[in-house]
């Protein structure tokens, strides 16, 4: 089937196991993609939307029991359990292969197995990596064509003896009790079964570009991170880049495509998007840290996306996009979701496939995790450097979380090691919107808890080790857009106004502004965050002002002392794999707070 013997043998072996009726190689051509779209429309797997309103756009609905990533069914299979660490579910590789082989057996009978050659990064470039995904789903093929670079050019780049990550996906019988998302980092292999949901089946994304890539990065001296990448253009035309990690539901996609307040755009400031979810970071020849986005599309959450919250994301979905689990508006054969606008359709089908009318139904029309899969090239603010195979040089790394009180609006770490500590203690509090208790602190180091393909203690050590290799280190910051008043209102306006904080961060990187040294790091003086033209009412009749700013820049020791206890418990889970340096950082923080 290809020039690569190892690849051919593996395809044969997987076909023998799954017994598809046909095998089709995805060549990346528009003709082939169009044929597959027609086939999927005919079978009801996707629906063609109004091509005048949404050219090239389709709608898909997953099974109702299959709407999100399944962390409890996600496994890292390393020879030694310790290497997967307490942050991962573990299975012995041979045991897992044997167990899943039974589930895959004959699972593609009567179906076609598609062979998708794909590249994470610009095809054939030095920092790109190749993968092959075998799947029985046209929906997966069409999504992979948007999310990655797919086709024959990738096979050419793999050549006769090149390496590739082997991914096998079968929908099998969609039994959620037999759903497995498994990774074999020692063999560059991913096996996914009984799911059709993006995060579980688009194997280039979380499975390869984070879990397998983080393992490879440690071995090869680079980093795979759950980070957006953006560029800030100043009026003089200079662009500085930052990479930022946030847990889910913290506005990562919004920040990646932020539109600065008018007082800045009038002066000529702009934000350019390089990526919204994943960054691969390497040390460049110039001793700086360079970041590239290995993906080619956005797999964004639809609800809440509108022309106010994120016009660039919404505009990205106006053509060549696949919508999953949103409302099907039968009035004009388009799509709708909660938070799009105030005009829900009355003649519609909800995400479960049932007739839906918002005036009579108390159910949401779109699933809260409904998605759009859109090509990055559609984004009005896509960076000119997006296709640069080397990526962009990073001036600042920004960590963030959702904390009602503890973390100030922004602070800067003392140095790289302290910055690694700041990333390692990242946390979010659960909100009323999420299931489970409200206000519970969930630690999510570097937003990578579900995505590190090995022991988190070793991951921290790798971050520390990388610091020793970067001559011109980026500065490391932490932000918290989510401070609440005692009444539960957001103090900071967020969205585009977050640019005011990014401006301070960039000034710190250029040594253009002073800061106040505190127990946790460097915090801005309130006068140095530009509040010009900021019109925001925290609650009715309570305008945001410099006193409110002072309040959210304060370091509240009692909260921090409590947080230290929680961090101590969290660190203890990693036992002897926890780097001594981070334990020292924690002890240092504790002693500064209790002095
Ligand atoms: C995502 C996630 O879908 O982080 O990007 O869950
Ligand atoms: Mn993500």
């Amino acid at each position: 089937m290809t020039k690569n013997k190892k690849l051919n043998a593996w395809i044969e072996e997987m076909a023998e196991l799954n017994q598809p009726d046909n095998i089709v190689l995805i060549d990346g051509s528009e003709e082939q993609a169009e044929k597959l779209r027609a086939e999927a429309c005919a079978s009801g797997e996707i629906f063609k939307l109004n091509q005048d309103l949404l050219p090239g756009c389709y709608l898909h609905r997953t099974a109702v029991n299959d709407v999100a990533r399944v962390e409890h069914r996600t496994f890292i299979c390393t020879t030694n359990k310790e290497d997967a660490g307490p942050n991962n579910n573990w299975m012995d590789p041979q045991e897992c292969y044997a167990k899943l082989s039974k589930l895959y057996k004959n699972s593609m009978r009567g179906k076609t197995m598609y062979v998708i050659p794909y590249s994470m990064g610009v095809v054939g470039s030095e920092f790109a990596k190749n993968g092959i995904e075998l799947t029985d789903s046209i929906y997966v093929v069409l999504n992979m064509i948007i999310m990655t670079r797919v086709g024959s050019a990738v096979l050419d780049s793999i050549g006769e003896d090149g390496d590739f990550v082997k991914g096998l996906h079968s929908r099998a019988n969609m039994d959620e009790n037999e759903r497995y998302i498994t990774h074999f980092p020692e063999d560059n292999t991913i096996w996914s079964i009984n799911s059709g949901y993006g995060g579980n089946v688009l194997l280039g994304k979380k499975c390869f570009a984070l879990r397998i890539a983080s393992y490879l990065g440690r071995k090869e001296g680079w980093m795979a991170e759950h980070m957006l990448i953006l560029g800030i253009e100043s009026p003089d035309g200079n662009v500085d880049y930052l990479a930022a990690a946030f847990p889910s539901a913290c506005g990562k996609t919004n920040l990646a495509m932020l539109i600065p307040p008018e007082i800045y755009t009038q002066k000529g400031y702009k934000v350019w998007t390089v990526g919204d979810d994943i960054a691969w970071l390497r040390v460049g020849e110039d001793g700086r840290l360079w970041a590239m986005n290995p993906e080619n599309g956005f797999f964004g959450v639809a609800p809440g996306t509108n022309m106010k919250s994120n016009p660039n994301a919404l505009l990205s979905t106006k053509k060549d996009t696949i919508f999953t689990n949103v409302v099907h508006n039968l009035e004009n054969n388009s799509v709708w979701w909660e938070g799009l606008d105030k005009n829900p359709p009355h003649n519609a089908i909800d995400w479960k496939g049932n007739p839906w009318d918002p005036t009579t139904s108390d159910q949401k029309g779109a699933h809260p995790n409904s998605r759009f899969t859109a090509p990055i090239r559609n984004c009005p603010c896509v960076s000119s450097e997006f296709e640069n195979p080397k990526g962009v040089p990073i001036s600042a790394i920004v960590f963030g979380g959702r904390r009602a009180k503890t973390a100030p609006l922004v602070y800067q770490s003392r140095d790289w090691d302290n910055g690694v500590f700041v990333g390692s203690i990242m946390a979010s509090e659960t909100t009323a919107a999420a299931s489970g208790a409200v206000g519970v602190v969930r630690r999510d180091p570097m937003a990578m808890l579900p995505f590190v393909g090995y022991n988190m203690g070793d991951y921290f050590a790798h971050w520390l080790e990388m610091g020793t290799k970067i001559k011109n280190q980026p500065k490391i910051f932490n932000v918290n857009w989510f401070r609440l008043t005692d009444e539960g209102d957001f103090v900071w306006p967020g969205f585009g106004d977050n640019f005011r904080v990014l401006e301070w961060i960039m000034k710190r990187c250029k040594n253009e502004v002073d800061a106040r040294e505190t127990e946790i790091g460097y915090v801005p003086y309130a006068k140095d965050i530009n509040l010009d033209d900021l019109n925001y009412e925290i609650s009715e009749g309570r305008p945001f002002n410099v006193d409110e700013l002072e309040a959210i820049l304060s370091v509240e020791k009692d909260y921090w002392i409590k947080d230290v206890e929680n961090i101590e418990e969290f660190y203890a889970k990693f036992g002897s794999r926890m780097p001594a340096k981070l334990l020292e950082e924690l002890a240092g923080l504790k002693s500064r707070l209790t002095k």
Side-chain angles (χ1 to χ4, degrees):
M1 185 165 240
T2 74
K3 288 184 287 196
N4 188 304
K5 284 202 190 98
K6 206 168 65 184
L7 174 53
N8 293 344
W10 173 67
I11 295 171
E12 256 169 52
E13 190 192 339
M14 294 301 106
E16 181 63 31
L17 176 63
N18 291 280
Q19 290 292 317
D21 283 11
N22 302 301
I23 302 179
V24 169
L25 178 63
I26 300 302
D27 59 17
S29 70
E30 183 46 33
E31 296 90 284
Q32 187 187 45
E34 195 49 35
K35 233 179 86 203
L36 291 172
R37 286 181 203 117
E39 199 179 321
C41 284
S43 70
E45 194 177 351
I46 59 174
F47 302 90
K48 193 174 198 160
L49 294 166
N50 183 326
Q51 296 297 295
D52 295 324
L53 290 176
L54 297 166
C57 293
Y58 294 82
L59 169 68
H60 170 80
R61 286 193 283 269
T62 63
V64 291
N65 71 2
D66 190 28
V67 291
R69 288 187 288 102
V70 280
E71 286 173 23
H72 63 294
R73 308 208 62 94
T74 299
F75 289 80
I76 298 293
C77 306
T78 44
T79 310
N80 298 317
K81 187 173 180 184
E82 271 285 285
D83 292 339
N87 45 304
N88 284 304
N89 299 315
W90 175 86
M91 231 190 291
D92 173 79
Q94 294 321 315
E95 195 184 304
C96 185
Y97 281 133
K99 184 184 178 95
L100 267 61
S101 290
K102 287 194 193 123
L103 303 178
Y104 282 113
K105 195 163 188 271
N106 303 333
S107 71
M108 295 186 192
R109 270 214 176 124
K111 298 185 189 173
T112 298
M113 181 171 88
Y114 299 95
V115 179
I116 315 171
Y118 66 96
S119 170
M120 301 312 291
V122 175
V123 180
S125 67
E126 197 184 347
F127 300 144
K129 289 207 178 277
N130 297 313
I132 306 284
E133 175 162 356
L134 309 179
T135 178
D136 58 356
S137 157
I138 297 182
Y139 170 75
V140 168
V141 174
L142 297 176
N143 273 271
M144 285 295 282
I145 288 174
I146 299 172
M147 291 305 298
T148 70
R149 289 143 169 115
V150 162
S152 311
V154 179
L155 286 182
D156 293 342
S157 132
I158 293 173
E160 284 177 20
D161 50 15
D163 258 348
F164 53 93
V165 169
K166 302 189 279 271
L168 171 65
H169 165 245
S170 172
R171 281 177 302 172
N173 56 16
M174 298 293 284
D175 179 352
E176 62 187 317
N177 298 314
E178 300 281 20
R179 186 168 292 155
Y180 288 97
I181 319 299
T182 62
H183 308 71
F184 305 83
E186 291 156 359
D187 312 340
N188 272 343
T189 295
I190 304 158
W191 278 15
S192 163
I193 189 158
N194 281 318
S195 174
Y197 170 76
N200 299 328
V201 300
L202 308 180
L203 301 185
K205 195 173 178 63
K206 305 296 189 186
C207 299
F208 178 173
L210 288 177
R211 297 195 189 97
I212 297 286
S214 61
Y215 180 93
L216 290 174
R218 175 166 176 248
K219 221 166 62 176
E220 298 168 3
W222 54 282
M223 303 198 284
E225 296 298 329
H226 192 196
M227 288 177 174
L228 65 89
I229 310 165
L230 65 78
I232 297 177
E233 182 174 335
S234 316
D236 64 7
N238 181 56
V239 186
D240 298 300
Y241 295 92
L242 62 81
F246 295 84
S248 351
C250 288
K252 203 157 134 223
T253 304
N254 291 348
L255 184 64
M257 298 173 201
L258 169 150
I259 297 179
E262 226 174 278
I263 51 154
Y264 289 96
T265 52
Q266 275 167 359
K267 285 186 204 149
Y269 284 97
K270 288 192 190 98
V271 168
W272 298 109
T273 307
V274 183
D276 78 323
D277 197 37
I278 297 177
W280 284 2
L281 302 136
R282 293 171 197 263
V283 186
E285 282 161 16
D286 58 359
R288 305 179 73 183
L289 188 63
W290 287 67
M292 69 92 151
N293 172 12
E295 300 192 280
N296 205 21
F298 304 125
F299 185 61
V301 175
T305 306
N306 59 52
M307 276 313 273
K308 191 157 172 273
S309 67
N310 195 340
N312 288 317
L314 190 61
L315 294 171
S316 303
T317 68
K318 294 297 176 195
K319 59 178 185 190
D320 303 331
T321 293
I322 300 172
F323 297 93
T324 303
N325 292 344
V326 299
V327 174
H328 190 182
N329 177 352
L330 297 179
E331 288 163 14
N332 60 2
N333 189 23
S334 71
V335 288
W336 190 84
W337 52 76
E338 277 71 22
L340 173 64
D341 55 38
K342 299 212 163 69
N343 307 308
H346 294 279
N347 180 13
I349 305 278
D350 70 7
W351 70 272
K352 293 181 180 164
N354 299 320
W356 182 77
D357 182 339
T359 50
T360 51
S361 174
D362 55 359
Q363 306 270 314
K364 284 195 158 69
H367 188 276
N369 192 33
S370 55
R371 299 277 175 154
F372 54 81
T373 315
I376 287 193
R377 65 169 184 277
N378 282 1
C379 183
C381 59
V382 64
S383 164
S384 59
E385 298 307 294
F386 167 65
E387 293 283 353
N388 184 338
K390 283 191 170 33
V392 293
I394 296 297
S395 302
I397 290 175
V398 180
F399 295 121
R402 180 184 280 271
R403 304 300 300 266
K405 296 286 178 196
T406 316
L409 178 63
V410 56
Y411 68 100
Q412 183 190 347
S413 67
R414 305 181 130 70
D415 53 28
W416 180 272
D417 288 358
N418 180 243
V420 175
F421 171 71
V422 169
S424 79
I425 64 168
M426 257 173 73
S428 263
E429 280 145 22
T430 48
T431 62
S435 57
V438 176
V440 175
V441 177
R442 179 184 139 108
R443 303 231 86 94
D444 187 357
M446 284 86 168
M448 282 289 279
L449 189 64
F451 304 121
V452 175
Y454 59 100
N455 190 309
M456 193 114 213
D458 297 340
Y459 168 78
F460 292 145
H462 180 51
W463 262 85
L464 293 166
E465 167 76 16
M466 284 297 293
T468 65
K469 296 188 184 148
I470 311 167
K471 211 164 76 228
N472 301 312
Q473 295 168 340
K475 305 261 190 292
I476 302 181
F477 299 81
N478 191 85
V479 297
N480 175 26
W481 316 129
F482 302 99
R483 284 279 286 249
L484 296 182
T485 62
D486 291 338
E487 294 74 46
D489 296 311
F490 287 115
V491 183
W492 178 249
F495 297 103
D497 287 308
N498 290 337
F499 191 81
R500 298 167 191 274
V501 174
L502 299 187
E503 183 188 32
W504 182 81
I505 288 175
M506 283 304 143
K507 281 189 177 163
R508 284 298 290 169
C509 291
K510 294 176 184 165
N511 294 318
E512 289 175 3
V513 66
D514 237 357
R516 187 166 64 89
E517 186 167 357
T518 71
E519 296 84 348
I520 60 171
Y522 300 101
V523 173
Y525 291 108
K527 68 175 173 51
D528 293 325
I529 304 276
N530 181 5
L531 298 184
D532 290 353
D533 277 4
L534 177 64
N535 293 316
Y536 171 66
E537 281 191 4
I538 298 171
S539 53
E540 218 176 293
R542 185 174 166 187
F544 184 86
N545 60 31
V546 74
D547 295 335
E548 311 283 357
L549 180 59
E550 294 275 12
I552 56 173
L553 290 175
S554 63
V555 177
E556 292 176 60
K557 282 197 193 181
D558 291 348
Y559 284 104
W560 275 97
I561 289 167
K562 251 184 86 201
D563 213 37
V564 164
E565 282 170 27
N566 187 284
I567 299 165
E568 283 172 338
E569 268 171 43
F570 181 70
Y571 271 12
K573 290 189 186 157
F574 304 103
S576 64
R577 300 262 182 147
M578 200 60 214
K581 263 203 186 125
L582 293 191
L583 297 171
E584 282 162 27
E585 287 285 345
L586 179 57
L589 174 63
K590 191 173 181 176
S591 86
R592 287 193 297 277
L593 287 166
T594 50
K595 199 159 61 188

